[in-house]
Amino acid sequence: MADSRNSQLFERAQRSIPGGVNSPVRAFRAVGGTPRFIARAEGPYLWDADGKRYIDYIGSWGPMILGHGHPAVLEAVQKAARDGFSFGAPTEREIELAEEILQLVPGVEQVRLVSSGTEAAMSALRLARGATGRSRIVKFEGCYHGHADALLVKAGSGLATFGHPTSAGVPPEVVQHTLVLTYNDLAGLEAAFDAHGRDIACVMIEPIAGNMNFVRTAVPYMRRLRELCTQHGALLVFDEVMTGFRVALGGAQSVYAKAIPGFKPDLSVFGKVIGGGMPLAAFAGPRAIMEQLAPLGPVYQAGTLSGNPVATACGLATLREIRKPGFFEALSQSTRRLTDGLLSAAREAGVPMVGDCEGGMFGFFFPRTAGESLPQNYGQVLATDKDRFNTFFHAMLDAGVYLAPALYEAGFVSAAHSAADLEATLAAARSALAA
Ligand SMILES: *Cc1c(COP(=O)(O)O)cnc(C)c1O
C-alpha cells in the first residue's frame, strides 16, 4: 500500500492542499487508511490511481443518479461547452431548467439557480428571514445544510467525523439565533414553538436526513411541524439538496404529500442531482416569497456563475432522463434489492444490522445489540457500532465496493447499477460479514 500510487498522491496532496483534500470527508479520517484518488469513472464504476475498479455507491455524494458518463448528458455538456462556458448574462437554458423543476415539483412557483447546496441553503435562509422580518431559525441536530455560519451548528456528517459539534471561526453571536432541536422529538418541537413561535423565521430540515446516515422524519412529526409553522407564521424550509430528484421524482416533499394530504413546504432547497455532477443548486418557493429577492425585492442574492450554461445543460439532460416513465420504479427496485440483500446477509451472518431506503437513497447501521430498531435521531446514530462499520467499510473497499467513508453518510444507487453489480456487492457483503 505504501508504494501504491494512491499513497504517493496522498503524500503529495498533503503538501499543497490542507489534509490533502478539498472537502474533509474525502480524507478517510473516520475510517482510517488512504483515500483513493479517482482517475476516471464510467456507469456504476470508479477506477482509482492504481487502476483498481470499484462499484460506486457514493455517486459524487448523490448527483450521479444516471451513473457516470451517461451518453445523453455527455452530449449535452459537450455541445454547451462549445457554445461558451459562461456569459454573465441570462440564457434560454436557465428558463428551461427552471420550468423543468417547476413541472417536477408541484407547489413550487419560482426558482433561483445558484452553484452549490451551501449557497442555496444560505440564500433560502436569508430569504426566509427577509420575508418574515424575523431572525430566529430552527435546525435539527445531525442535519447538514452546507457550511454557512448560521447553519453550521451540530451539523452531522463532516463535523461528526472530526468530533467538533460546531466549527471554530463561527462567533457565538452569529449562531445566537440558531435553535437546534432533536430530530423526531415532538415534545421538544412543541416547547420551542411555545417559547419562541413569534420569532421563528423558518424551520430548516432534511426531511429524510442523509447527513446522519439515513434517518426519516416520522409522518406524524412532519404533520405537526407543518401545522406549527403555519400557525406561528414560520416558513418550513425543506433542504432537499440530497433528497430532491433522488428519493422520488418530486423529492421527499412528494413522499410526505402522499401520507399527508395537501402537504408542501414553503421553501425548497435543491442541489446534487439537479446539476448531474456539475456545480449547480437552487432554491424555490411560491412567487410571493421568491419575489422578495433582488432585483424585485429587498433580499439581496447574486452569483457570477449562477445558472452557468454548461452546468444547466448537464442538469437539464439529467432531469430529462430521470423523468422518463419507469425510471424511478426501476431505481427504487434496485435500491430495495440492495438494502434487503444487505439486511439478509447480516441476518445470515448473525450480525445485527438495520437499514432503510427510499427511491435511490439507502442507509444501514450496526446496532450494538440485536433487536434494536432504526435510529430516529442523531444521538441514536452515534450510539451505533462505529468500529464494526469501519471494519465492514474496509472489507468492502478491498473487495471493490466503494461505500461512503463514514457511518454518518447515506448511500446512493444509480440507474447504471445492474442486477449483476448489486449481486457482486451482496456477495462481497456476505464474505465481509462472515469475517
Ligand atoms: C450536500 C448537502 C448540502 C451542501 O451542498 P454543497 O453543494 O456541498 O454545498 C446541503 N444540504 C444537504 C442536505 C446536503 O446533503
Side-chain angles (χ1 to χ4, degrees):
M1 193 68 211
D3 57 355
S4 80
R5 186 138 167 75
N6 286 310
S7 304
Q8 289 164 6
L9 288 172
F10 193 41
E11 282 283 298
R12 187 174 140 206
Q14 288 175 87
R15 291 198 283 274
S16 54
I17 300 169
V21 292
N22 284 311
S23 195
V25 286
R26 296 179 195 169
F28 274 36
R29 294 288 286 273
V31 290
T34 308
R36 303 303 190 260
F37 281 70
I38 304 304
R40 68 182 195 91
E42 194 181 313
Y45 308 121
L46 299 171
W47 284 265
D48 73 10
D50 287 311
K52 183 175 161 101
R53 193 191 83 172
Y54 303 88
I55 305 176
D56 177 18
Y57 290 103
I58 303 183
S60 186
W61 304 90
M64 310 314 298
I65 195 167
L66 301 174
H68 299 277
H70 186 282
V73 179
L74 261 183
E75 195 189 319
V77 167
Q78 283 167 342
K79 183 177 178 312
R82 275 195 299 270
D83 289 340
F85 284 11
S86 185
F87 313 121
T91 59
E92 183 171 355
R93 207 174 296 121
E94 292 164 76
I95 316 173
E96 289 182 286
L97 181 57
E99 288 172 351
E100 189 78 21
I101 294 168
L102 303 193
Q103 265 189 28
L104 298 182
V105 189
V108 162
E109 290 174 351
Q110 286 200 323
V111 53
R112 179 155 281 176
L113 304 179
V114 295
S115 301
S116 74
T118 294
E119 203 187 342
M122 178 186 82
S123 305
L125 178 63
R126 184 181 307 138
L127 177 59
R129 283 172 159 169
T132 57
R134 301 173 177 183
S135 301
R136 203 177 279 279
I137 58 170
V138 174
K139 77 173 289 289
F140 297 89
E141 196 176 1
C143 286
Y144 179 65
H145 306 294
H147 59 91
D149 284 352
L151 294 166
L152 204 52
V153 189
K154 298 191 178 173
S157 50
L159 291 155
T161 301
F162 301 101
H164 309 301
T166 303
S167 172
V170 177
E173 48 282 19
V174 173
V175 291
Q176 66 179 335
H177 300 300
T178 307
L179 204 62
V180 183
L181 303 182
T182 303
Y183 205 75
N184 278 322
D185 170 24
L186 208 45
L189 184 69
E190 300 277 359
F193 270 97
D194 276 347
H196 307 289
R198 275 184 313 171
D199 306 323
I200 298 173
C202 69
V203 177
M204 191 176 283
I205 188 167
E206 283 186 75
I208 298 175
N211 288 286
M212 47 172 160
N213 200 318
F214 181 112
V215 182
R216 1 171 140 240
T217 308
V219 169
Y221 185 88
M222 189 63 88
R223 186 184 293 118
R224 188 64 186 140
L225 173 59
R226 177 65 277 183
E227 282 169 6
L228 285 168
C229 285
T230 305
Q231 200 178 313
H232 292 268
L235 301 182
L236 177 57
V237 184
F238 261 29
D239 181 348
E240 297 228 46
V241 171
M242 197 176 269
T243 53
F245 314 100
R246 165 56 74 177
V247 299
L249 196 50
Q253 51 197 275
S254 72
V255 174
Y256 284 95
K258 268 191 209 153
I260 309 168
F263 179 89
K264 64 177 180 191
D266 297 300
L267 291 175
S268 303
V269 183
F270 300 109
K272 299 195 166 109
V273 170
I274 57 164
M278 289 273 185
L280 183 76
F283 60 106
R287 177 181 301 273
I289 299 178
M290 294 300 287
E291 288 192 343
Q292 298 292 311
L293 286 171
L296 298 177
V299 180
Y300 194 71
Q301 187 277 329
T304 302
L305 298 177
S306 289
N308 176 269
V310 184
T312 47
C314 188
L316 197 56
T318 301
L319 295 188
R320 284 179 177 161
E321 289 301 315
I322 69 171
R323 70 179 301 173
K324 288 183 175 167
F327 179 90
F328 262 94
E329 288 75 1
L331 181 68
S332 304
Q333 253 175 33
S334 296
T335 312
R336 171 57 63 193
R337 183 183 303 179
L338 179 75
T339 310
D340 289 349
L342 284 173
L343 294 175
S344 61
R347 235 180 348 261
E348 280 160 29
V351 174
M353 185 193 274
V354 292
D356 195 2
C357 64
E358 187 73 42
M361 176 170 161
F362 68 94
F364 61 90
F365 303 87
F366 294 104
R368 289 188 186 273
T369 53
E372 273 181 53
S373 48
L374 280 164
Q376 294 299 302
N377 61 46
Y378 186 54
Q380 292 173 5
V381 171
L382 289 182
T384 64
D385 194 335
K386 182 164 171 265
D387 294 336
R388 186 164 262 174
F389 172 85
N390 290 353
T391 307
F392 182 70
F393 167 82
H394 276 293
M396 295 296 275
L397 193 68
D398 289 345
V401 177
Y402 197 81
L403 299 168
L407 75 80
Y408 313 107
E409 311 287 351
F412 304 101
V413 175
S414 82
H417 288 81
S418 68
D421 295 319
L422 300 176
E423 194 35 58
T425 305
L426 294 175
R430 281 190 283 272
S431 30
L433 290 163

